[in-house]
Amino acid sequence: MKKRYILTDLDGTLLRSDQSISKYSVRVLTEALDKGHVISYATARSYISSMKILSTVPWKFPLVLYNGALLYDPVCQKLIDGNFLDTQISNEIIGIGEQNGISPFLFLLDADDKERVYHRKLNRSCDFQFFDSRPNDSRFKKVTPLLFPEDSKTIIVAFIGTYEEVSPIYQSVKNKFEDQIHIHFMEDSYITNNYFLEFSHPLANKKRGLELWCEHVECNTEDVLVFGDNLNDIGMFEEAGSKIAVQNAHEQLKKLACEVIDHHDKDTVAKYISRIV
C-alpha cells in the first residue's frame, strides 16, 4: 500500500455549508486513518471549535490550526509548535482598530497554553453572529481593558465588519507593521456582506503550517495532497505536490490547482480520498 499524506481545509472544503461533516466523510476518514494513511486538517479554526464538529474522527496526526499559527497534538491535546505575534504590536493593533470604531476578538494562549478569546462587550451584529456561532465556547471572555497579558501568546487579532469598515484598519496596520505581521483579509463564509481581517505572526500562515506538519510526520511537502477553497489556502497550494480545489473555490485558488472537483456540499473531498486510498 502506498502511504498517502493528505491535509485538507475545513470550512468550504471538507465541511458542508451548515458547518457539519457527513457520516460518510467520517467513515471514509476513519477507514483511511486505520489503514495507515497520514491525514489531518489545516484550518482557521481553533482546536476547540474544530473538535465540536470533528470529534468523531480519530485524528492521530498534528493539526494545523489558526491558519497555520499553531501545530497541535490531538492525541495528547497539547501545543507542539507555533508562531506568535509580539505582544506590544498586538496591543497597538487593538488601538488602531478602536480608533476606527471596531474592537477586535483576541485569540491567544494564556500562561498555561489554554486557548482564550478576549473581547469587549459585544454591540455589533456581526460580532454577535460570530459569537453565537460558537455556543457554550469556554474560550470566550469579556475583559476590560481589552489587551493581551504579558504572559500570553498572541495567536490572532481579528476584526469583523463590512469592507468599508475594516479597510482603513487594514491600511493603517499594514503601513505601520507590514514586515512584522501576516494579514488575512477575506470575505466571511457565514456572515453575509462581512469580512474577516486577521493579523498574526509573519510565519503564521498555512504555507509554514504545511512545512511544520511535514517535519513532524516525516515527509516532504511535495509528498502531500491538499484540498482547499479560499485565499488562505494559497500557501498550501504553492508548496504541496498535489493540490485539489473544490468547485466553490476562489478563482485564484483554482488557477493553482492540479484538479477542480465537485462542490463541498457533495462530500467531494471524502469521495476523492476514498477513490485514491
Side-chain angles (χ1 to χ4, degrees):
M1 179 196 76
K2 178 184 177 181
K3 182 187 289 187
R4 294 282 187 171
Y5 295 89
I6 300 172
L7 198 58
T8 180
D9 174 55
L10 294 183
D11 293 276
T13 306
L14 178 65
L15 302 184
R16 297 179 292 193
S17 295
D18 62 358
Q19 303 184 53
S20 69
I21 186 170
S22 71
K23 291 181 180 180
Y24 171 78
S25 291
V26 170
R27 185 173 76 251
V28 167
L29 292 168
T30 300
E31 291 175 354
L33 286 163
D34 288 343
K35 288 178 180 178
H37 298 289
V38 181
I39 303 175
S40 190
Y41 59 83
T43 180
R45 289 178 179 264
S46 69
Y47 176 72
I48 291 174
S49 173
S50 58
M51 277 297 117
K52 284 187 175 181
I53 303 169
L54 298 167
S55 60
T56 52
V57 179
W59 303 103
K60 304 175 183 179
F61 302 101
L63 310 175
V64 181
L65 304 174
Y66 292 104
N67 276 323
L70 298 189
L71 202 65
Y72 195 84
D73 184 338
V75 178
C76 299
Q77 296 187 22
K78 67 178 184 179
L79 176 70
I80 299 173
D81 208 338
N83 291 288
F84 306 100
L85 188 59
D86 176 80
T87 301
Q88 182 177 340
I89 292 175
S90 305
N91 287 330
E92 286 191 48
I93 292 172
I94 296 170
I96 291 171
E98 295 192 330
Q99 288 169 13
N100 285 273
I102 301 181
S103 293
F105 287 94
L106 312 183
F107 293 83
L108 60 124
L109 298 180
D110 65 16
D112 298 316
D113 281 346
K114 301 297 183 183
E115 292 179 311
R116 305 295 180 197
V117 184
Y118 290 168
H119 59 89
R120 289 197 187 277
K121 181 179 179 180
L122 304 180
N123 55 23
R124 303 170 69 242
S125 173
C126 54
D127 292 339
F128 278 116
Q129 288 183 65
F130 178 72
F131 179 81
D132 291 342
S133 70
R134 287 153 173 78
N136 304 314
D137 193 325
S138 60
R139 296 175 299 153
F140 285 78
K141 182 180 180 180
K142 183 179 71 173
V143 298
T144 302
L146 184 64
L147 293 170
F148 285 94
E150 287 298 325
D151 59 357
S152 68
K153 300 181 180 75
T154 299
I155 304 172
I156 293 171
V157 186
F159 296 88
I160 308 173
T162 65
Y163 184 86
E164 292 74 20
E165 288 174 328
V166 296
S167 289
I169 302 171
Y170 163 81
Q171 200 59 58
S172 295
V173 175
K174 182 180 179 182
N175 289 345
K176 188 168 186 178
F177 299 115
E178 183 168 14
D179 297 332
Q180 303 171 70
I181 57 173
H182 182 74
I183 304 174
H184 287 294
F185 187 15
M186 61 186 190
E187 191 168 5
D188 185 77
S189 301
Y190 303 112
I191 306 174
T192 305
N193 297 325
N194 275 263
Y195 285 72
F196 259 95
L197 174 60
E198 300 179 345
F199 302 101
S200 54
H201 187 278
L203 294 179
N205 56 73
K206 287 191 180 181
K207 179 178 181 178
R208 180 57 182 154
L210 171 62
E211 293 170 347
L212 285 175
W213 188 78
C214 290
E215 290 175 15
H216 284 271
V217 301
E218 299 182 342
C219 73
N220 298 314
T221 55
E222 56 264 29
D223 299 327
V224 184
L225 166 68
V226 297
F227 295 92
D229 77 302
N230 217 329
L231 296 176
N232 59 334
D233 298 317
I234 286 177
M236 287 201 307
F237 273 51
E238 290 174 341
E239 286 290 298
S242 301
K243 35 264 190 172
I244 310 298
V246 288
Q247 186 273 326
N248 51 284
H250 193 285
E251 289 302 318
Q252 194 170 337
L253 201 70
K254 289 181 180 179
K255 291 178 181 178
L256 295 173
C258 301
E259 186 177 349
V260 177
I261 55 178
D262 212 340
H263 194 279
H264 72 115
D265 278 329
K266 297 182 179 180
D267 288 336
T268 186
V269 170
K271 289 175 181 175
Y272 194 98
I273 291 173
S274 178
R275 186 168 72 251
I276 65 172
V277 304

